[in-house]
Short mmCIF file of all heavy atoms in Angstrom, two decimals:
data_model
loop_
_atom_site.label_atom_id
_atom_site.label_comp_id
_atom_site.label_asym_id
_atom_site.label_seq_id
_atom_site.Cartn_x
_atom_site.Cartn_y
_atom_site.Cartn_z
N ILE G 10 3.13 0.79 10.13
CA ILE G 10 3.35 1.74 9.03
C ILE G 10 3.72 0.99 7.76
O ILE G 10 3.17 1.25 6.68
CB ILE G 10 4.44 2.76 9.41
CG1 ILE G 10 3.93 3.69 10.52
CG2 ILE G 10 4.89 3.56 8.19
CD1 ILE G 10 5.02 4.55 11.16
N ILE G 11 4.65 0.04 7.87
CA ILE G 11 5.08 -0.72 6.69
C ILE G 11 3.92 -1.49 6.09
O ILE G 11 3.79 -1.59 4.86
CB ILE G 11 6.25 -1.65 7.05
CG1 ILE G 11 7.51 -0.81 7.33
CG2 ILE G 11 6.52 -2.67 5.94
CD1 ILE G 11 8.65 -1.59 7.92
N ALA G 12 3.04 -2.04 6.91
CA ALA G 12 1.89 -2.80 6.40
C ALA G 12 1.03 -1.93 5.49
O ALA G 12 0.59 -2.38 4.42
CB ALA G 12 1.06 -3.35 7.55
N ILE G 13 0.79 -0.69 5.88
CA ILE G 13 -0.03 0.22 5.08
C ILE G 13 0.71 0.59 3.79
O ILE G 13 0.13 0.52 2.69
CB ILE G 13 -0.39 1.48 5.88
CG1 ILE G 13 -1.32 1.11 7.05
CG2 ILE G 13 -1.05 2.54 4.98
CD1 ILE G 13 -1.48 2.21 8.08
N CYS G 14 1.97 0.96 3.91
CA CYS G 14 2.74 1.35 2.73
C CYS G 14 2.89 0.20 1.74
O CYS G 14 2.75 0.39 0.53
CB CYS G 14 4.12 1.86 3.15
SG CYS G 14 4.09 3.36 4.13
N ASP G 15 3.14 -0.99 2.27
CA ASP G 15 3.31 -2.18 1.43
C ASP G 15 2.01 -2.52 0.70
O ASP G 15 2.01 -2.83 -0.49
CB ASP G 15 3.78 -3.36 2.28
CG ASP G 15 4.09 -4.59 1.45
OD1 ASP G 15 4.79 -4.46 0.42
OD2 ASP G 15 3.66 -5.69 1.85
N ALA G 16 0.89 -2.45 1.41
CA ALA G 16 -0.40 -2.74 0.79
C ALA G 16 -0.73 -1.72 -0.29
O ALA G 16 -1.16 -2.08 -1.39
CB ALA G 16 -1.50 -2.76 1.85
N TYR G 17 -0.50 -0.44 -0.01
CA TYR G 17 -0.77 0.62 -1.00
C TYR G 17 0.10 0.41 -2.24
O TYR G 17 -0.38 0.47 -3.36
CB TYR G 17 -0.53 2.00 -0.39
CG TYR G 17 -0.76 3.12 -1.36
CD1 TYR G 17 -2.05 3.59 -1.59
CD2 TYR G 17 0.28 3.71 -2.05
CE1 TYR G 17 -2.28 4.61 -2.49
CE2 TYR G 17 0.06 4.73 -2.95
CZ TYR G 17 -1.21 5.18 -3.16
OH TYR G 17 -1.45 6.18 -4.07
N ASP G 18 1.37 0.11 -2.02
CA ASP G 18 2.28 -0.14 -3.14
C ASP G 18 1.83 -1.35 -3.96
O ASP G 18 1.82 -1.31 -5.19
CB ASP G 18 3.70 -0.35 -2.63
CG ASP G 18 4.67 -0.64 -3.75
OD1 ASP G 18 4.80 0.20 -4.67
OD2 ASP G 18 5.30 -1.73 -3.72
N ALA G 19 1.44 -2.42 -3.28
CA ALA G 19 0.99 -3.63 -3.98
C ALA G 19 -0.26 -3.35 -4.81
O ALA G 19 -0.38 -3.81 -5.94
CB ALA G 19 0.72 -4.75 -2.98
N MET G 20 -1.18 -2.57 -4.24
CA MET G 20 -2.41 -2.26 -4.97
C MET G 20 -2.15 -1.39 -6.19
O MET G 20 -2.89 -1.46 -7.17
CB MET G 20 -3.41 -1.56 -4.04
CG MET G 20 -4.01 -2.48 -3.00
SD MET G 20 -5.28 -1.67 -2.02
CE MET G 20 -4.33 -0.97 -0.68
N ASN G 21 -1.10 -0.58 -6.16
CA ASN G 21 -0.81 0.35 -7.24
C ASN G 21 0.25 -0.15 -8.21
O ASN G 21 0.65 0.58 -9.11
CB ASN G 21 -0.36 1.70 -6.66
CG ASN G 21 -1.53 2.49 -6.16
OD1 ASN G 21 -2.13 3.21 -6.93
ND2 ASN G 21 -1.87 2.32 -4.90
N SER G 22 0.71 -1.36 -8.04
CA SER G 22 1.76 -1.93 -8.88
C SER G 22 1.20 -3.04 -9.76
O SER G 22 0.29 -3.75 -9.36
CB SER G 22 2.88 -2.50 -8.01
OG SER G 22 3.45 -1.50 -7.22
N HIS G 23 1.79 -3.17 -10.93
CA HIS G 23 1.39 -4.27 -11.81
C HIS G 23 1.91 -5.57 -11.21
O HIS G 23 3.06 -5.68 -10.82
CB HIS G 23 1.97 -4.08 -13.21
CG HIS G 23 1.60 -5.19 -14.13
ND1 HIS G 23 0.34 -5.32 -14.65
CD2 HIS G 23 2.30 -6.25 -14.57
CE1 HIS G 23 0.28 -6.41 -15.39
NE2 HIS G 23 1.46 -7.00 -15.36
N ARG G 24 1.04 -6.54 -11.11
CA ARG G 24 1.39 -7.87 -10.61
C ARG G 24 1.03 -8.88 -11.69
O ARG G 24 0.14 -8.64 -12.51
CB ARG G 24 0.61 -8.20 -9.32
CG ARG G 24 0.77 -7.20 -8.21
CD ARG G 24 2.16 -7.24 -7.64
NE ARG G 24 2.35 -6.17 -6.67
CZ ARG G 24 3.20 -6.22 -5.69
NH1 ARG G 24 3.96 -7.27 -5.54
NH2 ARG G 24 3.33 -5.21 -4.87
N SER G 25 1.68 -10.02 -11.68
CA SER G 25 1.38 -11.04 -12.70
C SER G 25 -0.07 -11.51 -12.59
O SER G 25 -0.65 -11.97 -13.57
CB SER G 25 2.33 -12.22 -12.56
OG SER G 25 2.20 -12.80 -11.28
N TYR G 26 -0.67 -11.36 -11.42
CA TYR G 26 -2.03 -11.83 -11.18
C TYR G 26 -3.07 -10.71 -11.14
O TYR G 26 -4.26 -10.99 -11.01
CB TYR G 26 -2.08 -12.62 -9.87
CG TYR G 26 -1.53 -11.85 -8.69
CD1 TYR G 26 -2.32 -10.97 -7.95
CD2 TYR G 26 -0.19 -11.99 -8.33
CE1 TYR G 26 -1.80 -10.25 -6.89
CE2 TYR G 26 0.34 -11.28 -7.26
CZ TYR G 26 -0.48 -10.41 -6.55
OH TYR G 26 0.05 -9.71 -5.49
N ALA G 27 -2.65 -9.46 -11.24
CA ALA G 27 -3.61 -8.35 -11.16
C ALA G 27 -3.06 -7.07 -11.77
O ALA G 27 -1.86 -6.81 -11.69
CB ALA G 27 -4.00 -8.10 -9.71
N LYS G 28 -3.96 -6.29 -12.34
CA LYS G 28 -3.59 -4.97 -12.84
C LYS G 28 -3.56 -3.99 -11.67
O LYS G 28 -4.21 -4.22 -10.65
CB LYS G 28 -4.62 -4.50 -13.87
CG LYS G 28 -4.61 -5.31 -15.14
CD LYS G 28 -5.63 -4.76 -16.12
CE LYS G 28 -5.61 -5.58 -17.39
NZ LYS G 28 -6.59 -5.11 -18.36
N PRO G 29 -2.83 -2.91 -11.83
CA PRO G 29 -2.80 -1.92 -10.74
C PRO G 29 -4.18 -1.30 -10.52
O PRO G 29 -4.96 -1.12 -11.46
CB PRO G 29 -1.84 -0.85 -11.25
CG PRO G 29 -1.14 -1.43 -12.42
CD PRO G 29 -1.99 -2.53 -12.95
N MET G 30 -4.47 -1.01 -9.28
CA MET G 30 -5.70 -0.30 -8.94
C MET G 30 -5.45 1.20 -9.10
O MET G 30 -4.30 1.64 -9.08
CB MET G 30 -6.11 -0.59 -7.49
CG MET G 30 -6.46 -2.04 -7.24
SD MET G 30 -6.72 -2.40 -5.47
CE MET G 30 -8.28 -1.58 -5.20
N THR G 31 -6.51 1.96 -9.21
CA THR G 31 -6.36 3.41 -9.25
C THR G 31 -5.99 3.91 -7.85
O THR G 31 -6.19 3.22 -6.84
CB THR G 31 -7.66 4.10 -9.70
OG1 THR G 31 -8.66 3.89 -8.68
CG2 THR G 31 -8.14 3.58 -11.04
N HIS G 32 -5.49 5.11 -7.82
CA HIS G 32 -5.14 5.77 -6.56
C HIS G 32 -6.35 5.80 -5.63
O HIS G 32 -6.26 5.40 -4.47
CB HIS G 32 -4.63 7.18 -6.88
CG HIS G 32 -4.40 8.05 -5.70
ND1 HIS G 32 -3.36 7.86 -4.83
CD2 HIS G 32 -5.08 9.14 -5.26
CE1 HIS G 32 -3.40 8.79 -3.90
NE2 HIS G 32 -4.43 9.58 -4.14
N GLU G 33 -7.50 6.24 -6.14
CA GLU G 33 -8.70 6.34 -5.31
C GLU G 33 -9.23 4.98 -4.88
O GLU G 33 -9.72 4.83 -3.77
CB GLU G 33 -9.78 7.16 -6.00
CG GLU G 33 -9.48 8.65 -6.06
CD GLU G 33 -9.26 9.29 -4.68
OE1 GLU G 33 -10.02 8.96 -3.72
OE2 GLU G 33 -8.34 10.10 -4.55
N SER G 34 -9.14 3.97 -5.75
CA SER G 34 -9.56 2.62 -5.36
C SER G 34 -8.68 2.07 -4.25
O SER G 34 -9.16 1.40 -3.34
CB SER G 34 -9.52 1.68 -6.56
OG SER G 34 -10.50 2.04 -7.51
N SER G 35 -7.40 2.37 -4.32
CA SER G 35 -6.47 1.92 -3.28
C SER G 35 -6.80 2.59 -1.95
O SER G 35 -6.79 1.94 -0.91
CB SER G 35 -5.03 2.24 -3.68
OG SER G 35 -4.69 1.57 -4.87
N ILE G 36 -7.09 3.88 -2.00
CA ILE G 36 -7.47 4.60 -0.79
C ILE G 36 -8.75 3.99 -0.22
O ILE G 36 -8.86 3.77 0.99
CB ILE G 36 -7.64 6.10 -1.07
CG1 ILE G 36 -6.27 6.74 -1.29
CG2 ILE G 36 -8.40 6.80 0.06
CD1 ILE G 36 -6.30 8.18 -1.72
N HIS G 37 -9.70 3.69 -1.08
CA HIS G 37 -10.95 3.07 -0.63
C HIS G 37 -10.67 1.74 0.09
O HIS G 37 -11.25 1.46 1.15
CB HIS G 37 -11.90 2.86 -1.81
CG HIS G 37 -13.14 2.13 -1.43
ND1 HIS G 37 -14.17 2.72 -0.74
CD2 HIS G 37 -13.51 0.85 -1.63
CE1 HIS G 37 -15.12 1.83 -0.53
NE2 HIS G 37 -14.75 0.68 -1.06
N GLU G 38 -9.78 0.92 -0.45
CA GLU G 38 -9.44 -0.36 0.18
C GLU G 38 -8.80 -0.16 1.54
O GLU G 38 -9.08 -0.92 2.48
CB GLU G 38 -8.52 -1.19 -0.72
CG GLU G 38 -9.22 -1.83 -1.89
CD GLU G 38 -10.30 -2.80 -1.45
OE1 GLU G 38 -10.03 -3.68 -0.59
OE2 GLU G 38 -11.42 -2.70 -1.96
N LEU G 39 -7.95 0.84 1.66
CA LEU G 39 -7.35 1.13 2.97
C LEU G 39 -8.43 1.52 3.98
O LEU G 39 -8.42 1.06 5.12
CB LEU G 39 -6.31 2.24 2.86
CG LEU G 39 -5.03 1.90 2.08
CD1 LEU G 39 -4.16 3.15 1.94
CD2 LEU G 39 -4.26 0.78 2.74
N ILE G 40 -9.37 2.34 3.54
CA ILE G 40 -10.46 2.78 4.42
C ILE G 40 -11.32 1.59 4.83
O ILE G 40 -11.66 1.44 6.01
CB ILE G 40 -11.30 3.88 3.74
CG1 ILE G 40 -10.46 5.16 3.61
CG2 ILE G 40 -12.59 4.14 4.51
CD1 ILE G 40 -11.08 6.22 2.71
N VAL G 41 -11.67 0.75 3.88
CA VAL G 41 -12.50 -0.43 4.17
C VAL G 41 -11.82 -1.34 5.20
O VAL G 41 -12.49 -1.95 6.04
CB VAL G 41 -12.81 -1.20 2.86
CG1 VAL G 41 -13.36 -2.59 3.15
CG2 VAL G 41 -13.75 -0.41 1.98
N ASN G 42 -10.50 -1.41 5.16
CA ASN G 42 -9.77 -2.34 6.02
C ASN G 42 -9.14 -1.69 7.26
O ASN G 42 -8.40 -2.35 7.98
CB ASN G 42 -8.69 -3.05 5.20
CG ASN G 42 -9.32 -4.03 4.24
OD1 ASN G 42 -9.83 -5.06 4.67
ND2 ASN G 42 -9.33 -3.70 2.97
N LYS G 43 -9.48 -0.42 7.51
CA LYS G 43 -8.93 0.19 8.72
C LYS G 43 -9.68 -0.33 9.93
O LYS G 43 -10.89 -0.52 9.90
CB LYS G 43 -8.89 1.72 8.63
CG LYS G 43 -10.18 2.44 8.68
CD LYS G 43 -9.91 3.94 8.50
CE LYS G 43 -11.03 4.75 9.09
NZ LYS G 43 -10.76 6.18 9.00
N GLY G 44 -8.91 -0.64 10.95
CA GLY G 44 -9.49 -1.23 12.16
C GLY G 44 -9.48 -2.75 12.14
O GLY G 44 -9.59 -3.38 13.18
N THR G 45 -9.39 -3.33 10.97
CA THR G 45 -9.28 -4.79 10.87
C THR G 45 -7.86 -5.15 10.46
O THR G 45 -7.09 -5.68 11.25
CB THR G 45 -10.31 -5.38 9.89
OG1 THR G 45 -10.18 -4.74 8.61
CG2 THR G 45 -11.72 -5.24 10.42
N GLN G 46 -7.50 -4.84 9.23
CA GLN G 46 -6.14 -5.14 8.76
C GLN G 46 -5.15 -4.06 9.20
O GLN G 46 -4.01 -4.37 9.56
CB GLN G 46 -6.12 -5.25 7.24
CG GLN G 46 -4.77 -5.67 6.68
CD GLN G 46 -4.82 -5.95 5.20
OE1 GLN G 46 -5.87 -5.90 4.57
NE2 GLN G 46 -3.67 -6.23 4.62
N PHE G 47 -5.58 -2.81 9.18
CA PHE G 47 -4.67 -1.70 9.41
C PHE G 47 -5.07 -0.85 10.62
O PHE G 47 -6.25 -0.75 10.95
CB PHE G 47 -4.64 -0.78 8.18
CG PHE G 47 -4.34 -1.48 6.90
CD1 PHE G 47 -5.30 -1.56 5.90
CD2 PHE G 47 -3.12 -2.09 6.68
CE1 PHE G 47 -5.04 -2.20 4.71
CE2 PHE G 47 -2.84 -2.74 5.49
CZ PHE G 47 -3.81 -2.80 4.49
N ASP G 48 -4.07 -0.21 11.22
CA ASP G 48 -4.28 0.74 12.30
C ASP G 48 -5.11 1.90 11.76
O ASP G 48 -4.68 2.58 10.82
CB ASP G 48 -2.92 1.23 12.80
CG ASP G 48 -2.99 2.22 13.94
OD1 ASP G 48 -3.86 3.12 13.91
OD2 ASP G 48 -2.16 2.12 14.85
N PRO G 49 -6.31 2.15 12.29
CA PRO G 49 -7.18 3.18 11.73
C PRO G 49 -6.58 4.59 11.79
O PRO G 49 -6.75 5.38 10.84
CB PRO G 49 -8.46 3.09 12.55
CG PRO G 49 -8.10 2.32 13.77
CD PRO G 49 -6.92 1.48 13.43
#
């Protein structure tokens, strides 16, 4: 659970190396990585 929440937060937060992703882009990344990085 924490892995998913942490990844979503990181994607939606300003980082020194990246701008925040949109809500829908973040959801898309979670979907693309379900079953590999994340529990589907």
Side-chain angles (χ1 to χ4, degrees):
I10 291 169
I11 290 170
I13 294 167
C14 296
D15 185 47
Y17 179 82
D18 179 59
M20 289 185 271
N21 282 273
S22 299
H23 179 74
R24 304 291 174 154
S25 60
Y26 54 85
K28 292 182 180 179
M30 295 172 72
T31 66
H32 172 72
E33 287 303 318
S34 293
S35 299
I36 288 173
H37 175 75
E38 284 299 311
L39 292 174
I40 292 168
V41 166
N42 289 289
K43 71 183 203 177
T45 54
Q46 184 173 356
F47 307 114
D48 180 318

